[in-house]
Structures are given as structure tokens and as C-alpha cells.
């Protein structure tokens, strides 16, 4: 096992779980973060440990700075220097813009954008001191092109991209790369509210001709986390099967 340590937020299921398992396969010790479902998060960690890896679980709401700071202290105590953070935790929201409220705005932004800020704010100082780090933010193809009835979600994910590119410039001199992945339609619980008919029409518009799987995104994250990706920063890897090509 290498001396690499990663935090993956929202890793009890879906894309985050796949990322945690993929990084563990690459030799990372992994802190599996969850907001609520500690049993599912424990199952992710157990799966990693059963394959000979090292993982632990920490319950924290990424939108709450005090909980994120406590997670940072715990991670450092248990694993030492956390050199990689994957800001995966996120919530979606499908609604007419005219039905959105200040409260729904806060709900989406507090998790999807403020959560990324909170985690970077807690973990980046140690990376700066150690002159090494990998920050990988999970955005969305809707952060690149916008989605109808997902104005808040699209804005939050576009914000993640702006934050990523700015931080890449600021933290590059400290040996830290900051990148994003922009998944397309990926088969997870997040799609549970979307009808099969809508998914089929999305697949029809996807040149690769299928729905994405969490492992498709995890592979891109594994690359960005690797030492070999040290000259890649401020980049957004589009994992949409060609649904979005800019
Ligand atoms: P998911 O709903 O299965 O997973 C989201 C995870 O984030 C869950 O484990 C959830 O508990 C966690 N989470 C939510 N709020 C949290 C908080 N405040 N603190 C900590 N954890 C929190 O969905 P997913 O598809 O695996 O989504 C993972 C990421 O990928 C999200 O950021 C999402 O926006 C992004 N994404 C997903 C798709 C897709 O089609 N599934 C496409 C583009 C981007």
C-alpha cells in the first residue's frame, strides 16, 4: 500500500462509492464520508478492507463547516496527511424555475457549492504545508451547458467549475492540482426520479449509446488523483459518453 490518503465525500453509494473503491484499488487509504447512512458507508469501507485495503468512515454534512473541520481532524489523526480530496457529495433538484424559492436555492448551493468550499478550506492548508495535493471536484455536464428545469443544480455545478479553475491557478505554485469531472447520465439513485422513457431518450442522444456507470467516472478520478497527472490542472474531464462535446 502506498502512503496516499484520500477523502471521498458522499461515498456511501453511487459514484462516490465507486470512486472510494477505485482509489483503494490504486493503494489509497480512504476516508468514506457520508451524511446520514452510516451503515451503507460502513459497507463501502468493509468492501475495501475485505480486498486488503484500508478505509474508515466519518459522518459529516459537507454543508456544515464545523462538521467538516471535525472530519479533517479525524482523518489526519487516523491516516496522517490527506493528500487527495474528492468532492463528490451532491444533491439534484428538478423543478420549474418559477417554483424555486430562496430556501431551495440555499439547499442546493449549500451542499453542491458551499460543501466543496468547506472541504477545500479544511483540507487545503495541510496540502499547502506539504507542497502536494490533488483536489477533484464532481461537477456535471449540466454545469457546462445548463439543463432546463435544473437551473439551481446547473448553477451550482457551473460554480464548481469556476471554483476549480480559480483554485487551480492559486494552488498550483503549492504543488496542488485542482480538477473536475463532469459526468453525464450515470446510473445511480440520483436518476431514480427520472422515467425510463426520459432515460432512453437521453441515451439516444449519447454517441456512446448507453447510460454511464459509476465506474466510468471513477476511472477519470483515479487518473486525476495519480502522481502521473501532476501536469494536469484546471481541467474538466467530461464523462458523458459524448452527450456534451464542446
Ligand atoms: P447519489 O444520490 O447516489 O449520491 C450522492 C451522495 O452524496 C449520497 O451518498 C448522499 O448521501 C451524499 N450527500 C448528499 N448531501 C450530502 C451532504 N450534505 N453531506 C455529505 N454527503 C451528502 O448520486 P450520485 O449520482 O452518486 O451523485 C454523486 C455526484 O455526482 C453528485 O455530486 C452529483 O451531482 C454528480 N453527478 C451525478 C450524475 C448522475 O447522472 N448520477 C450526473 C452528473 C453529476
Amino acid at each position: 500500500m502506498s502512503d496516499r490518503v484520500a477523502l471521498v465525500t458522499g461515498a456511501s453509494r453511487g459514484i462516490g462509492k465507486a470512486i472510494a473503491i477505485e482509489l483503494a484499488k490504486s493503494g489509497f487509504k480512504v476516508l468514506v464520508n457520508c451524511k446520514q447512512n452510516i451503515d451503507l458507508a460502513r459497507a463501502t469501507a468493509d468492501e475495501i478492507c475485505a480486498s486488503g485495503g484500508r478505509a474508515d468512515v466519518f459522518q459529516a454534512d459537507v454543508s456544515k463547516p464545523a462538521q467538516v473541520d471535525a472530519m479533517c481532524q479525524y482523518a489526519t489523526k487516523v491516516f496522517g496527511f490527506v493528500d487527495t480530496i474528492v468532492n463528490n457529495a451532491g444533491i439534484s433538484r428538478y423543478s420549474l424555475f418559477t417554483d424555486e424559492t430562496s430556501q431551495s436555492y440555499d439547499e442546493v448551493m449549500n451542499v453542491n457549492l458551499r460543501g466543496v468550499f468547506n472541504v477545500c478550506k479544511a483540507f487545503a492548508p495541510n496540502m499547502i504545508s506539504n507542497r502536494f495535493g490533488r483536489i477533484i471536484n464532481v461537477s456535471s455536464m449540466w454545469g457546462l451547458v445548463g439543463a432546463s428545469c435544473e437551473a439551481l443544480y446547473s448553477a451550482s455545478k457551473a460554480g464548481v467549475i469556476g471554483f476549480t479553475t480559480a483554485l487551480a491557478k492559486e494552488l498550483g505554485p503549492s504543488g496542488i492540482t485542482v480538477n473536475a469531472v463532469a459526468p453525464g447520465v450515470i446510473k445511480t439513485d440520483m436518476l431514480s426520479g427520472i422515467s425510463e422513457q426520459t432515460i432512453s431518450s437521453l441515451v439516444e442522444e449519447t454517441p456512446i449509446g448507453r447510460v454511464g456507470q459509476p465506474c466510468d467516472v471513477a476511472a477519470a478520478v483515479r487518473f486525476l488523483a495519480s502522481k502521473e497527472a501532476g501536469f494536469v490542472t484546471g481541467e474538466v474531464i467530461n464523462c458523458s459518453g459524448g452527450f456534451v462535446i464542446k
Side-chain angles (χ1 to χ4, degrees):
M1 191 176 296
S2 73
D3 56 357
R4 303 286 308 272
V5 179
L7 162 73
V8 185
T9 66
S12 58
R13 63 178 195 227
I15 294 171
K17 177 176 184 176
I19 292 169
I21 290 170
E22 191 64 33
L23 291 180
K25 276 193 213 154
S26 296
F28 283 77
K29 302 176 190 96
V30 181
L31 188 66
V32 174
N33 159 258
C34 66
K35 182 186 171 195
Q36 270 163 346
N37 205 328
I38 194 92
D39 289 342
L40 272 186
R42 178 60 56 206
T44 304
D46 286 349
E47 196 173 325
I48 290 170
C49 296
S51 312
R54 256 194 84 190
D56 201 346
V57 172
F58 195 91
Q59 190 170 2
D61 180 336
V62 295
S63 71
K64 304 274 170 23
Q67 295 185 26
V68 172
D69 289 346
M71 178 162 66
C72 183
Q73 280 170 20
Y74 180 80
T76 310
K77 193 175 81 184
V78 171
F79 288 136
F81 168 47
V82 180
D83 60 69
T84 298
I85 51 179
V86 183
N87 285 304
N88 165 78
I91 53 173
S92 62
R93 195 178 156 76
Y94 190 81
S95 171
L96 285 173
F97 166 68
T98 46
D99 291 338
E100 297 292 11
T101 60
S102 288
Q103 195 192 342
S104 61
Y105 179 94
D106 286 345
E107 273 169 24
V108 173
M109 293 297 170
N110 281 346
V111 178
N112 292 3
L113 189 52
R114 189 186 291 269
V116 176
F117 168 78
N118 287 340
V119 174
C120 290
K121 184 108 178 76
F123 285 81
N126 259 339
M127 293 181 180
I128 293 167
S129 310
N130 282 280
R131 301 201 60 75
F132 179 79
R134 296 275 185 269
I135 297 175
I136 300 146
N137 299 324
V138 179
S139 176
S140 164
M141 66 176 175
W142 301 134
L144 292 167
V145 296
S148 173
C149 295
E150 295 193 67
L152 296 181
Y153 182 76
S154 301
S156 70
K157 293 299 187 177
V160 167
I161 290 172
F163 184 75
T164 300
T165 53
L167 215 56
K169 291 179 181 174
E170 187 168 333
L171 298 185
S174 300
I176 301 164
T177 65
V178 190
N179 292 287
V181 290
V185 182
I186 309 293
K187 185 112 186 72
T188 69
D189 289 3
M190 202 168 262
L191 293 192
S192 59
I194 301 179
S195 70
E196 280 304 320
Q197 198 187 357
T198 306
I199 292 178
S200 301
S201 66
L202 291 169
V203 168
E204 267 172 39
E205 288 179 60
T206 304
I208 295 297
R210 65 172 174 84
V211 168
Q213 297 297 329
C215 61
D216 292 317
V217 182
V221 172
R222 187 218 315 124
F223 167 68
L224 292 171
S226 70
K227 288 218 161 125
E228 290 71 24
F231 207 53
V232 179
T233 196
E235 187 54 75
V236 182
I237 298 189
N238 164 0
C239 306
S240 71
F243 188 97
V244 165
I245 296 179
K246 288 196 110 183

